[in-house]
Amino acid sequence: MDLSRWIDGWAEMTPEKDALRCDGVTLDYAAFADAVGRLARSLRHALGLKHGDRVAYLGLNSPKMLVLLFACARTGTILVPLNWRLAPPEHRHILADSGAAALFAEPAFLAQTGPVLAALPPLKSIAYGPKAAGWQEYAALIEAPGGSASAGSPAELGDPLLLVYTSGTTGQPKGAVLTQEALLWNAVNATHAHDLTSADRILTTLPMFHVGGLNIQTLPALHAGASVTLHRRFDAGRMLKEVAAWRPSLTLMVPAT
């Protein structure tokens, strides 16, 4: 049992229901589950990642980040979301401290990431978008053949899934570990706190490198089988237009927003 079963379960019951919306692209639950399965197989076979390996993500809010998270859940690997606002030396510290075995990065961040990777032991580097020198293409990766994603040690709810770094206000950022079970019970608690159901429409504008953007409503919504719209980053005007046009039932803001 692992958290990716949330997506598989809703794909069986409501395959054509919208799961994720972002920048005009919609992923229904069937397509979401298929993407998780493909990437999980690639993590295990094409990249050779083992149970407990760390997988870093550097990018704005994206369905691909959520696909990666659930693929990590299926394979027993651990997602390390990187704060895209940090400077390269800070990214270098987190990648080294976490012992990341792989890095998935969006094209906008490849140039600043090059010097960081040069200063670290070799790790598998995967780029979303056009092929870049020294980077493996995400599109080719998920098409790579492979066997079962669960080959080897099966993932369990007690396994770590998220390694989220603190803001480092009193020193270097420190990695906080969240298990799959912690995210499950957080989703259960959020369901009660927000009265979440599969009929809800969740708008996520806060960054998902932080547990506020990721764990308070986004993951609980997917646990409940709701629909989630992701904004790549917060923009007040765009958020107001989304509220008027899509009519979300729940969203989360902080004082700055």
Side-chain angles (χ1 to χ4, degrees):
M1 176 65 182
D2 63 77
L3 260 57
S4 70
R5 304 308 168 197
W6 296 0
I7 310 306
D8 285 346
W10 287 112
E12 291 174 2
M13 290 186 284
T14 55
E16 297 180 355
K17 181 179 180 182
D18 291 354
L20 300 171
R21 299 170 68 251
C22 185
D23 284 351
V25 176
T26 300
L27 207 63
D28 62 28
Y29 271 99
F32 191 5
D34 180 67
V36 170
R38 286 172 177 267
L39 182 55
R41 288 192 296 273
S42 295
L43 292 181
R44 181 71 74 197
H45 299 285
L47 296 182
L49 298 180
K50 305 182 298 298
H51 200 100
D53 279 346
R54 277 72 165 167
V55 180
Y57 172 86
L58 178 57
L60 304 178
N61 288 351
S62 167
K64 288 187 173 67
M65 179 184 174
L66 293 169
V67 169
L68 180 57
L69 182 145
F70 285 104
C72 286
R74 183 165 299 181
T75 56
T77 49
I78 303 167
L79 181 64
V80 185
L82 297 176
N83 181 342
W84 45 263
R85 295 188 180 117
L86 297 180
E90 294 168 303
H91 287 152
R92 182 172 64 243
H93 165 74
I94 292 173
L95 289 169
D97 185 70
S98 67
L103 170 64
F104 286 71
E106 292 190 330
F109 299 98
L110 298 188
Q112 71 186 60
T113 307
V116 172
L117 297 180
L120 293 170
L123 57 88
K124 300 171 178 68
S125 305
I126 300 91
Y128 299 106
K131 186 173 179 59
W135 292 77
Q136 186 170 347
E137 273 186 292
Y138 178 81
L141 175 71
I142 60 173
E143 295 298 330
S148 170
S150 58
S153 302
E156 299 178 350
L157 288 179
D159 291 335
L161 176 57
L162 275 177
L163 182 54
V164 188
Y165 275 75
T166 65
S167 57
T169 51
T170 58
Q172 293 281 20
K174 300 170 181 65
V177 179
L178 293 172
T179 64
Q180 298 202 32
E181 190 171 33
L183 296 185
L184 169 61
W185 287 110
N186 178 77
V188 171
N189 288 334
T191 297
H192 289 286
H194 304 293
D195 198 21
L196 275 169
T197 74
S198 61
D200 275 307
R201 297 152 71 90
I202 307 303
L203 175 59
T204 296
T205 64
L206 299 182
M208 292 194 298
F209 62 68
H210 189 279
V211 293
L214 183 62
N215 290 354
I216 293 181
Q217 288 183 348
T218 305
L219 290 182
L222 296 173
H223 174 261
S227 298
V228 177
T229 290
L230 300 172
H231 282 189
R232 300 274 283 155
R233 58 190 300 176
F234 175 75
D235 177 271
R238 186 180 178 199
M239 180 177 183
L240 292 173
K241 288 178 181 178
E242 193 79 67
V243 168
W246 193 56
R247 308 301 294 173
S249 52
L250 285 168
T251 192
L252 175 69
M253 293 188 290
V254 294
T257 58

